[in-house]
Structures are given as structure tokens and as C-alpha cells.
Amino acid sequence: MAQTKNRTVLMQGNEACAEGAIYAGLKFFAGYPITPSSEVAEVLAERLPQVGGTFIQMEDEIASMGAIVGGSLTGAKSMTATSGPGFSLKQENLGYAALTEVPCVIVNVARMGPSTGLPTSPAQGDVMQVKWGTHGDHPIVCVVPQSVSECFALTVEAFNISEELRVPVIVLTDEVIGHMREKITLPEPGEIPVIDRKKPEAGLKKYNPYSVASGDIPPMAAYGDGYHFHVTGLFHDETGFPTGKPAECDKLVRRLMNKIDRRIDRLTMVEEIMMDDAEVVVFAYGCSARSALRAVREARAAGIKAGLIRPKIMWPFPERGIRAAAARARTFVVPELSYGQIIYEVERCAAGQAAVRGVNRVDGEIITPAEILAAIKEG
């Protein structure tokens, strides 16, 4: 799809993720077809060669994740896309990317699980797996679009965060958002900022790949740039070689976590609607946020002081906004297409100041505005 100035088109969410990745500078995609994410790969199979990039269909999801880690180490902005069982298979190499600080983007178009589940039905049961799916303490960032235009914009943002912080970033959508079609105006080149990873100073004679002399995010050379360096999934010191020294291991883990924690303002992105006087607050994301907005508007029309908090970045979790709302509101309503996952984060942050009520579906159908409105009225 050749991009022209401010061209307005009807586009699917998955297609918008692919176009957003191209806009952000994607040069390498490795993946394996899986419903309901396959359109991301289908579009990029055509588009990437048009912009000098490379598309490869791998033999499985494990290899796909490994391939994008390798692609990123060569200096190419890299991405994969998957759903459900495929995302589970990516977890070990996702942990490798987190420990080695390799920028990469993973699109997960969620579907019903566990196991093969309902491949063509929407769900939101992956939200905690995104945060904790791989083992150990590790940094992760996750964006959660709720529209086709956000699929584009937040995919660009995912690449920017990944490149800036040297961290894997998940674009978590769902079958509804991935397959719905909406009008979207494609931005001109340069209209949305695009960030590239920081590289070592030119002419540097000795390169330690994890040196923090210039800050807590090390400059990143590419394989082929002429620098000789080591990358390992073992705990490592600034040289990149393995270490078992307790002080070095402690320093590494704390730096990985702190580079996220210290930038919490940069990584908090929340939309608040009718929250100034809200007594009942709906916390929702993805396709459930679309139903929630309708429910909040209907509640307001009925004289109920309802409001909506919708995160655009789920991880790190927007704790401060929840705490501030809990000090004023009496109830939170948390609609999720799962048995209940993110509700526990809301409860943790509300810290007993407000009641928290879930609205849940696990039958492969979306949560309707009427179901959320009924919960708001109970509040």
C-alpha cells in the first residue's frame, strides 16, 4: 500500500499495525501464521520488500521470536506477530530479549484460551502473561490499542519505546480490534516522531556492550559495525560476558527494572473520560473499552456520575491514576473478556478505598454496554 499525504482509507486493525510498523522503520519481520493475527504478516509480506525490508515465514513461533532478536542485533528494527498458543511459545526468547536488552516488538492479537481454545473469538486472558509470561524478574512494556487508528499510532509508539529503552514491547490487541475496519488517516512521514536506538560514539576503540557510563541505557552497536562484543542469556557484566558475582548480578537486575521505573511518566499513557466528578469508575481496555464508553455515556444520561479510565499503556500499570480515582470514587467496574485478571491490579491500587466489581465473559462473546451499565447501576 503506497502511502500518500494524509490519505484516508478504510483499514483493518491488523493492517494498521503493519502500516504503523512500516512507518516506525520496521526492516525485518519473522513470523508464523496464526488466527487472528495472520493479516499482520500478510500485509508485511507485501509491504516490507517495497521499503527495502525483509519478510520471512519461520517454521514455528519459537524460531520467529529468536529470529527477530537476531535481526535486531544486526541493527534492523524487528517485529513478529502472533496469538494465544504462539505467544506462549515465544516466552523463553522474549526473556532472552529482556535480559540482553534487544529492542523488538511483538504483536499479540488475543483469542480465547487456554490451548487451542476458540481461535476466532475475542478474549483478554493474555494480559498477565504479557507481564509475567517469561520467568524471572524482567522489564516489559505493553501498549493496548482500542481502535484502528490506535493500532497504527501505538505500534509506532511501541517501536519508539523499544528503541529508546532497549526493551521488548508488546502490542496487545484482541480479535475484535484486529479484525474491525474503521476510517484512518495515514500520517505524513515526520508527522509522528520516530526514535532510533542510541549507538556508540564514532571511533570508539573499546566497546563494552553494557557499559552504563553515559546513563542506564547502554548505547547499542550492531553486528557488522566493526565492534567485537558478546551477547548471552546468562547474567553478564558490562563486557557482555557471563558473571556469577552477586554484586554484578544484583546491579544488572536492578538496572533493568529501574530503567522502566525511572521513566514512569514517559510510560504512563491513559485516557480519562468524564472523570472530574465520577463516583463510579470503569477501568477498561481493548474492545471492552468500546462497550465501556457507551455504558458510561448512558449512565451519565441517566444521572449517574460515571467515568472511564482507559489505559493506552497497560504495563507498566497506571497506578497513580487508579489511586487518585480511588480517593474520590466509591466503586470501580472492571470489564474483562476473561475470568478476571487485571481486576486484581485495580484492587491493589485502590487499596480498599473503593469497592471493585468485575464484569466477565468467557464464552467467546464481547461484553455489551448493557452488561457494564448494569454493573455501574449497582455501584
Side-chain angles (χ1 to χ4, degrees), residues 140-142 157 161-162 164-165 167 169 259-270 312-318 320:
I140 211 76
V141 176
C142 171
E157 184 68 11
I161 293 169
S162 182
E164 180 184 349
L165 304 186
V167 64
V169 178
K259 72 178 181 179
I260 301 298
D261 294 340
R262 289 172 181 162
R263 293 167 177 83
I264 200 67
D265 290 338
R266 161 80 171 89
L267 299 173
T268 297
M269 191 180 296
V270 175
K312 297 181 182 182
I313 294 179
M314 183 66 81
W315 303 115
F317 194 69
R320 289 183 297 188

Side-chain angles (χ1 to χ4, degrees), residues 5-265:
K5 287 188 176 182
N6 287 331
R7 193 158 77 92
T8 299
V9 295
L10 184 67
M11 185 176 284
Q12 192 185 63
N14 283 343
E15 295 170 337
C17 280
E19 289 296 329
I22 294 287
Y23 188 95
L26 175 69
K27 284 296 182 282
F28 180 64
F29 179 95
Y32 187 84
I34 182 170
T35 303
S37 75
S38 295
E39 294 84 1
V40 179
E42 289 169 4
V43 171
L44 289 172
E46 178 183 3
R47 289 283 285 122
L48 262 177
Q50 295 173 359
V51 297
T54 300
F55 173 96
I56 183 169
Q57 180 173 314
M58 301 298 292
E59 66 269 28
D60 57 36
E61 303 279 8
I62 300 171
S64 300
M65 188 66 210
I68 70 164
V69 171
S72 184
L73 284 168
T74 70
K77 291 186 179 181
S78 301
M79 184 176 88
T80 188
T82 189
S83 182
F87 190 60
S88 297
L89 289 169
K90 292 184 186 298
Q91 294 303 320
E92 183 175 3
N93 279 333
L94 182 61
Y96 183 92
L99 183 70
T100 56
E101 299 177 84
V102 176
C104 54
V105 173
I106 304 95
V107 177
N108 178 12
V109 187
R111 72 191 212 189
M112 278 293 293
S115 191
T116 308
L118 296 174
T120 60
S121 296
Q124 295 178 306
D126 296 1
V127 68
M128 299 307 290
Q129 185 191 27
V130 166
K131 174 64 174 173
W132 300 115
T134 194
H135 55 284
D137 291 310
H138 58 276
I140 211 76
V141 176
C142 171
V143 300
V144 280
Q146 65 97 43
S147 67
V148 173
S149 60
E150 282 194 352
C151 283
F152 184 101
L154 289 180
T155 299
V156 177
E157 184 68 11
F159 274 95
N160 284 346
I161 293 169
S162 182
E163 292 285 312
E164 180 184 349
L165 304 186
R166 290 190 61 176
V167 64
V169 178
I170 315 299
V171 180
L172 178 63
T173 69
D174 53 66
E175 187 277 332
V176 171
I177 303 301
H179 282 159
M180 68 186 292
R181 294 183 184 274
E182 291 180 322
K183 182 176 73 172
I184 175 175
T185 301
L186 298 174
E188 296 181 38
E191 190 173 332
I192 300 177
V194 171
I195 296 173
D196 297 321
R197 67 193 64 170
K198 182 180 178 182
K199 293 189 174 183
E201 295 178 12
L204 187 67
K205 301 210 183 280
K206 182 179 179 182
Y207 173 61
N208 284 332
Y210 297 101
S211 171
V212 292
S214 60
D216 59 355
I217 301 169
M220 186 176 181
Y223 288 160
D225 279 353
Y227 298 98
H228 297 277
F229 61 98
H230 191 263
V231 177
T232 176
L234 291 164
F235 274 36
H236 47 268
D237 59 20
E238 291 188 355
T239 69
F241 284 92
T243 182
K245 296 178 180 178
E248 292 287 345
C249 297
D250 181 88
K251 182 170 70 172
L252 173 62
V253 173
R254 293 185 186 279
R255 180 176 64 78
L256 293 179
M257 303 306 288
N258 286 339
K259 72 178 181 179
I260 301 298
D261 294 340
R262 289 172 181 162
R263 293 167 177 83
I264 200 67
D265 290 338

Side-chain angles (χ1 to χ4, degrees), residues 322-323 326 332 344-356:
I322 299 295
R323 292 194 177 107
F332 283 91
Y344 298 111
E345 285 294 293
V346 176
E347 285 183 340
R348 177 180 65 83
C349 296
Q353 294 186 86
V356 182

Side-chain angles (χ1 to χ4, degrees), residues 362-376:
V362 289
D363 59 357
E365 297 292 325
I366 65 170
I367 300 171
T368 66
E371 291 171 303
I372 299 172
L373 180 59
I376 291 172

